[in-house]
Amino acid sequence: MAIVSEQIIPAKTAQDQASETAMKASKAGRSFGRFFWFCSAWIGMIVVFAVLGKFLPWAKKDPDYLIGGYIQGTEPGKGWKDTFSMNHILGTDENGNDLLAGITLGARNSLTIAFATVLLGFLFGGGLGMISGYARGKADTVLSFLATALQSFPPLLFILLFLSVTTKTTDGVAEGLNTNVWKLSFSLAVLSIPSLFRIVRASTMLFANREFVVAARSMGAKRGRILLREIFPNVAKPMLAYGLVAAGSVMVIEGALSYLGVGVGDKAAWGKMIQSGSGFSGIKRSPHVAFVPMFFLFMTVLAFNYIGDQVRARLEVKQAGI
């Protein structure tokens, strides 16, 4: 009779299972996918629009300048298809302004406000979040309370109040709430401080007790060096992922403000272009005047959100493998 020897296979430990899970997640996350690269190409195109601006050939049809008349002899009563031609591939509005030129010049203001808002927000909110998350104690309590208080303030009311205070007056009469790019960026950055503060604070608390931080502290490194040399390089990664998503959110807010007339003054803006073509008579006669900038705003925000989510997922996979 043959005796079959049974082999005892040791059970996998929790550490082995965690390592296999992290390895599978890492392999799955190596390829971002085609849509990620499509979104990256879209953002690259919008950045080219913003950087080159009026140097692009089609942007010379500056929508800030009313060229008068109607392209190809079109009139307000004619169909919207009459506004398209080889020289105006996205059509024109009822004043004869080229929509592609407006999209190109509006991209500079939208991206400038988005990036300036996120950078200023991380500079103040992120800096305070690192200090709060590392110091703990009374400093953390005070800074967290201030962030909560600022977050409780109505955002639209704050923007209108800030613009009212900074608006120039002539003989006691305000010149309107229209503002420039930097005033609007600053007001939006102040509103973004609480959320950015909490994200950086949570990330700092996650790394504050890691081995490399404890080793630096035991070697006598000062608090400033630990924050800048040890913690910041690790906190900057989730900041980048969230910053991309935040940039898309800022573009939506800026578009809404421009739509309401509280935007970037007489400069080209996507929200202002949407507003100019969204009237009842205009949307029936020339719907593309509103839908073209609406499409560009939608695609840009979608691209920022998707890229930010993919970068965040990649960072979570790497942290799982540590």
Side-chain angles (χ1 to χ4, degrees):
M1 180 181 295
I3 300 176
V4 179
S5 60
E6 297 181 355
Q7 296 180 352
I8 300 176
I9 301 175
K12 293 183 179 180
T13 63
Q15 184 176 1
D16 294 335
Q17 293 177 353
S19 300
E20 290 183 2
T21 302
M23 187 177 297
K24 292 179 181 180
S26 179
K27 290 180 179 179
R30 287 177 183 173
S31 177
F32 282 112
R34 294 180 179 179
F35 190 66
F36 174 87
W37 298 113
F38 170 78
C39 292
S40 300
W42 180 273
I43 296 298
M45 179 186 70
I46 300 299
V47 170
V48 170
F49 285 179
V51 173
L52 297 182
K54 295 184 179 181
F55 294 102
L56 297 173
W58 59 83
K60 294 179 180 179
K61 312 176 187 70
D62 192 340
D64 290 344
Y65 172 66
L66 186 62
I67 62 179
Y70 294 92
I71 300 299
Q72 297 179 336
T74 59
E75 298 175 357
K78 284 196 172 185
W80 62 274
K81 293 183 180 180
D82 295 330
T83 65
F84 291 87
S85 68
M86 292 301 296
N87 293 327
H88 307 281
I89 59 176
L90 296 183
T92 62
D93 61 14
E94 292 187 350
N95 292 324
N97 296 319
D98 186 78
L99 290 184
L100 182 56
I103 293 296
T104 301
L105 299 175
R108 171 177 295 183
N109 294 322
S110 296
L111 287 185
T112 300
I113 292 173
F115 290 152
T117 298
V118 173
L119 289 176
L120 290 174
F122 273 124
L123 180 62
F124 293 100
L128 294 176
M130 288 181 60
I131 296 174
S132 178
Y134 184 79
R136 308 289 181 90
K138 294 182 179 180
D140 183 27
T141 302
V142 173
L143 292 175
S144 298
F145 174 79
L146 293 177
T148 302
L150 183 58
Q151 194 170 21
S152 302
F153 202 88
L156 182 58
L157 180 60
F158 173 83
I159 293 175
L160 294 177
L161 180 61
F162 176 79
L163 297 182
S164 299
V165 172
T166 57
T167 296
K168 295 181 180 180
T169 59
T170 303
D171 297 330
V173 179
E175 298 179 359
L177 290 180
N178 286 336
T179 183
N180 57 36
V181 171
W182 301 110
K183 286 183 181 180
L184 189 58
S185 300
F186 179 79
S187 60
L188 293 175
V190 172
L191 294 175
S192 68
I193 286 177
S195 57
L196 300 178
F197 168 85
R198 296 182 184 281
I199 291 174
V200 176
R201 173 180 175 271
S203 299
T204 302
M205 294 174 65
L206 178 65
F207 291 102
N209 294 321
R210 290 288 181 90
E211 292 80 1
F212 56 89
V213 176
V214 175
R217 191 184 300 120
S218 63
M219 294 176 63
K222 295 183 179 179
R223 179 176 299 180
R225 183 187 183 282
I226 293 176
L227 288 174
L228 294 177
R229 299 290 298 275
E230 306 296 339
I231 294 181
F232 176 73
N234 294 280
V235 173
K237 298 175 182 178
M239 286 171 61
L240 173 62
Y242 184 79
L244 293 171
V245 178
S249 301
V250 171
M251 293 187 70
V252 172
I253 297 174
E254 183 272 332
L257 292 174
S258 297
Y259 184 89
L260 296 174
V262 190
V264 289
D266 58 350
K267 301 295 183 180
W270 290 352
K272 188 184 299 182
M273 296 176 65
I274 296 173
Q275 191 276 335
S276 66
S278 61
F280 178 75
S281 59
I283 202 71
K284 292 182 64 177
R285 184 167 55 243
S286 303
H288 68 290
V289 177
F291 284 109
V292 167
M294 192 182 301
F295 172 78
F296 272 82
L297 179 60
F298 167 77
M299 286 300 303
T300 305
V301 174
L302 174 64
F304 271 122
N305 289 339
Y306 187 81
I307 294 174
D309 287 340
Q310 291 297 309
V311 172
R312 178 184 53 80
R314 174 66 65 89
L315 294 176
E316 288 180 354
V317 168
K318 288 184 178 181
Q319 290 181 3
I322 297 177

